[in-house]
């Protein structure tokens, strides 16, 4: 019997409806999201004794505690890119199971769009040793993912049309989400006709830039049973990182290939048991390589696997029913929205975009730069 | 050559671990490292072998020949220094000796770049202190 898996649950989830909030600060979005998630759980801010966040600056978690006037006994500001918030849930499960805290609050807020922050196409950073050998050559974030896409096309014959179909599917889903930033249907031809940002990735292969916020509340399953909503149980999880190694990195070896199988094994869940996936879709290639890495198909088969409606609502493996980062929202780090959507799907409260009879959801966050350094965090969630 | 003030792209911070690499580039020589104890090759330069943590380091001069492992033609980058040079080719080159490194492919139209393209190093003296290893079709 595991000490962690199946012992803790998401008990509250809230996605801030805003996509553009020029009057608000990120901290206000954190606070408004926290209120929403605590209301959803039937808990109050004074119940919170574990605080998890990222994207607030190196020691910003103390500012967030200040802003919420919290005195938590457990703090975690894991910073591994957009997947950080998925990682927070994994760490919260361990902390809750170990009794290090009893109510964990995970929050996120960002005003990337109203600050006109060029997330994907800004300059390279120059902070850490590996950066000195990369940033001088101008890797954008899009470019880093594009290096992987180009290699995938070379090795496996993956096409721009196959990548485009992923964007088309996400947009179709977004049409069912009243809060999504872009809801008008698009076609494969639209994606291919959009301008190339970094070959082979077009504008519509890239996630949107929005403002936004979200929050999650986690507690032990024991405590969850006394709370308002049906708990969503954390059945298993794992994280991983990939980087340039000592100069020998295989670009097509993604972190999901380590975290995915480990998380599924820990959960005792098989691929065939998974009813839906919430997968980080910073770019279309991210979805394709993640599905391969997680083991839903073999390496090289991702293009064909993601086509033909298989990852659309009504297909064998619906991915991102909310429209994902490609169409709904992407304020810079959208990992928290993956867990929120998976939770709401398992509650069966998603209306027209509901995956029928969803019992098991797999969440996978990708953070960082796929072709340089990236993280992968997998969570397996289930109905209690 | 630009002076350090007018050059607007990021410049590497040269430290104890990397000084030998950058000084060699300034002499128009490309080096990688090999562990004296376990023989593992490495790029980028580090003080300790990441395979065995040995400090015994041999600097190995690269032939400067290799091939394109992957690339992307960058059409959008708002950063100073890059936005004036669009489109440019970002690439990972696999050296003939094995290690892979990030670089730019220069000296040919972007549309001629392919994975597998044989390339050779060109030394770009971007400031008096810093030379970058870029590659062109061989």
């Amino acid at each position: 019997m595991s000490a962690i898996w199946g012992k803790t649950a998401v008990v509250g989830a809230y996605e801030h409806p805003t996509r553009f909030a020029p009057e608000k600060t990120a901290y206000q979005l954190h606070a408004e999201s926290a209120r929403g998630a605590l209301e959803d759980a039937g808990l109050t801010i004074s119940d919170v004794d574990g605080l998890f966040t990222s994207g607030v600056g190196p020691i910003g978690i103390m500012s967030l505690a200040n802003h919420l006037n919290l005195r938590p006994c457990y703090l975690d500001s894991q910073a591994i890119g957009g997947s950080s918030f998925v990682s927070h849930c994994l760490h919260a499960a361990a902390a809750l199971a170990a009794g290090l805290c009893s109510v964990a609050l995970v929050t996120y807020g960002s005003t990337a769009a109203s600050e006109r922050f060029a997330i994907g196409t800004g300059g390279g950073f120059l902070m850490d040793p590996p950066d000195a050998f990369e940033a001088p050559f101008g890797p954008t974030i899009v470019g880093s993912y594009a290096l992987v896409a180009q290699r995938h096309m070379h090795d496996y014959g993956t096409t721009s049309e196959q990548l485009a179909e992923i964007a088309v599917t996400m947009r179709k889903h977004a049409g069912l989400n009243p809060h999504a930033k872009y809801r008008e249907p698009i076609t494969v031809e639209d994606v291919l006709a959009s301008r190339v940002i970094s070959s082979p990735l077009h504008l519509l292969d890239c996630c949107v830039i929005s403002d936004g916020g979200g929050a999650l509340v986690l507690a032990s399953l024991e405590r969850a049973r006394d709370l308002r909503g049906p708990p969503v149980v954390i059945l298993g999880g794992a994280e991983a990182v990939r980087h340039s190694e000592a100069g020998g990195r295989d670009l097509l070896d993604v972190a999901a290939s380590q975290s995915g199988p480990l998380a599924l094994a820990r959960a005792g869940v098989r691929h065939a048991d998974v009813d839906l996936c919430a997968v980080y879709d910073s770019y279309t290639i991210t979805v394709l390589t993640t599905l391969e890495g997680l083991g839903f198909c073999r390496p090289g088969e991702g293009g064909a696997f993601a086509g033909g409606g298989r990852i659309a609502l009504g297909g064998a493996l619906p991915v991102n029913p909310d429209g994902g980062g490609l169409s709904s929202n992407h304020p810079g780090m959208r990992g928290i929205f993956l867990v929120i959507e998976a939770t709401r799907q398992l509650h069966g409260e998603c209306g027209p975009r509901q995956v029928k009879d969803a019992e098991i959801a797999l969440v996978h966050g990708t953070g960082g730069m796929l072709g340089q350094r990236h993280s992968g965090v997998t969570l397996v969630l289930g109905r209690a | 050559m630009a002076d350090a003030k007018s050059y607007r792209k990021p410049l590497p911070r040269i430290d104890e671990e990397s000084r030998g690499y950058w000084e060699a580039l300034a002499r128009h020589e490309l080096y990688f490292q090999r562990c004296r104890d376990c023989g593992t090759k490495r790029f980028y330069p580090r003080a300790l072998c990441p395979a065995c943590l040995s400090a015994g380091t041999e600097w190995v001069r690269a032939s400067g020949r290799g091939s394109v492992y992957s690339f992307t033609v960058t059409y959008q980058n708002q950063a100073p220094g890059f936005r004036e040079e669009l489109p440019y080719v970002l690439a990972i080159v696999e050296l003939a000796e094995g290690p892979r490194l990030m670089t730019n492919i220069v000296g040919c139209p972007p549309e001629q770049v392919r994975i597998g393209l044989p390339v050779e190093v060109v030394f770009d003296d971007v400031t008096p202190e810093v030379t970058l290893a870029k590659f062109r079709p061989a």
Side-chain angles (χ1 to χ4, degrees):
Chain A
M1 194 70 183
S2 159
I4 300 176
W5 313 121
K7 300 291 177 58
T8 67
V10 179
V11 297
Y14 180 78
E15 181 184 302
H16 203 295
T18 192
R19 298 295 185 266
F20 190 64
E23 303 300 321
K24 297 181 192 288
T25 66
Y27 283 90
Q28 185 178 347
L29 293 170
H30 277 265
E32 290 175 359
S33 300
R35 179 181 61 189
L38 287 163
E39 279 175 6
D40 186 48
L43 288 166
T44 68
I45 188 78
S46 59
D47 292 313
V48 174
D49 62 357
L51 182 62
F52 298 72
T53 197
S54 196
V56 286
I59 57 172
I61 194 168
M62 292 191 284
S63 301
L64 181 65
N66 195 156
H67 207 59
L68 298 173
N69 193 22
L70 283 173
R71 296 175 65 167
C73 62
Y74 195 89
L75 297 103
D76 182 334
S77 49
Q78 163 81 308
I80 52 173
S83 59
S84 297
F85 306 87
V86 186
S87 176
H88 291 144
C89 294
L90 175 61
H91 296 188
L96 290 163
L100 299 176
C101 58
S102 61
V103 173
L105 174 67
V106 185
T107 69
Y108 173 54
S110 162
T111 52
S114 49
E115 290 173 47
R116 302 187 63 78
F117 176 40
I119 298 171
T121 57
F125 303 95
L126 197 58
M127 298 176 290
D128 299 324
D131 298 319
F133 303 90
E134 296 170 355
F137 304 103
T140 61
I141 296 182
V142 191
S144 192
Y145 285 75
L147 288 170
V148 176
Q150 193 80 256
R151 186 73 204 184
H152 203 282
M153 289 177 165
H154 174 268
D155 284 11
Y156 298 120
T158 304
T159 65
S160 289
E161 286 78 3
Q162 288 174 324
L163 290 176
E165 193 168 345
I166 294 170
V168 170
T169 302
M170 295 306 113
R171 182 61 63 85
K172 190 176 159 193
H173 292 171
L176 302 171
N177 177 0
H179 298 304
K181 179 161 180 170
Y182 296 107
R183 304 185 63 208
E184 288 298 308
I186 53 172
T187 64
V188 167
E189 292 69 34
D190 291 334
V191 179
L192 300 185
S194 65
R195 71 178 193 275
V196 176
I197 303 295
S198 196
S199 70
L201 299 179
H202 303 75
L203 177 68
L204 292 178
D205 284 301
C206 306
C207 60
V208 308
I209 300 176
S210 71
D211 294 340
L216 294 159
V217 182
L218 294 92
S220 70
L221 188 55
E222 199 179 352
R223 177 145 190 188
R225 297 202 187 279
D226 299 328
L227 296 177
R228 181 173 289 167
V232 163
V233 183
I234 298 183
L235 298 172
E239 52 198 18
V241 65
R242 288 292 182 275
H243 44 67
S244 69
E245 302 176 8
R249 163 101 193 276
D250 171 359
L251 276 180
L252 303 184
D253 171 30
V254 295
S257 68
Q258 182 179 350
S259 67
L262 189 52
L264 286 163
R266 285 171 171 172
V269 164
R270 296 166 306 162
H271 289 93
D273 301 328
V274 175
D275 297 307
L276 76 133
C277 281
V279 163
Y280 208 113
D281 59 339
S282 42
Y283 303 94
T284 50
I285 186 65
T286 320
V287 177
L288 192 154
T289 55
T290 298
L291 292 172
E292 290 179 0
L294 292 171
F296 285 103
C297 59
R298 284 187 295 208
E301 294 178 348
F305 181 85
R310 188 183 275 105
I311 66 167
L313 279 163
L317 186 71
V319 172
N320 300 348
D322 64 340
L326 286 166
S327 283
S328 177
N329 61 346
H330 194 289
M333 301 198 292
R334 89 174 296 273
I336 202 162
F337 304 123
L338 303 174
V339 184
I340 293 171
E341 178 67 6
T343 298
R344 299 193 61 203
Q345 286 285 341
L346 294 174
H347 283 170
E349 62 188 44
C350 290
R353 69 172 196 271
Q354 179 64 44
V355 175
K356 196 165 170 283
D357 301 325
E359 291 186 0
I360 303 273
L362 185 146
V363 171
H364 183 84
T366 300
M369 304 151 293
L370 198 64
Q372 294 157 267
R373 285 169 290 295
H374 74 272
S375 63
V377 188
T378 310
L379 279 185
V380 183
L381 305 176
R383 286 209 305 232
Chain B
M1 190 194 312
D3 60 36
K5 271 184 185 165
S6 64
Y7 184 75
R8 300 178 76 201
K9 295 177 185 177
L11 285 167
R13 193 183 69 184
I14 298 172
D15 53 34
E16 184 177 295
E17 290 193 287
S18 65
R19 186 167 292 114
Y21 175 76
W22 295 111
E23 287 178 353
L25 278 185
R27 300 191 305 267
H28 290 196
E29 298 167 1
L30 176 63
Y31 278 81
F32 61 92
Q33 293 172 314
R34 186 163 55 205
C35 176
R36 287 194 187 279
D37 287 297
C38 76
T40 303
K41 296 173 186 173
R42 65 184 188 262
F43 186 89
Y44 57 93
R46 274 156 270 197
L48 303 182
C49 169
C52 72
L53 297 184
S54 164
T57 299
E58 176 190 2
W59 287 90
V60 182
R61 186 168 179 184
S63 65
R65 296 197 166 257
S67 62
V68 173
Y69 171 68
S70 194
F71 74 98
T72 178
V73 184
T74 307
Y75 291 92
Q76 188 172 329
N77 183 347
Q78 282 93 315
F82 294 108
R83 64 184 175 220
E84 299 86 355
E85 295 184 4
L86 298 168
Y88 63 88
V89 180
L90 175 77
I92 295 176
V93 160
E94 182 172 295
L95 298 176
E97 295 83 0
R100 293 172 184 159
L101 47 79
M102 184 167 279
T103 187
N104 297 128
I105 304 298
V106 297
C108 70
E111 55 270 24
Q112 285 183 10
V113 179
R114 296 282 180 274
I115 288 177
L117 180 75
V119 290
E120 63 186 11
V121 69
V122 284
F123 297 97
D124 188 356
D125 301 317
V126 299
T127 71
E129 294 76 32
V130 174
T131 297
L132 297 177
K134 299 182 179 178
F135 288 79
R136 67 183 173 207

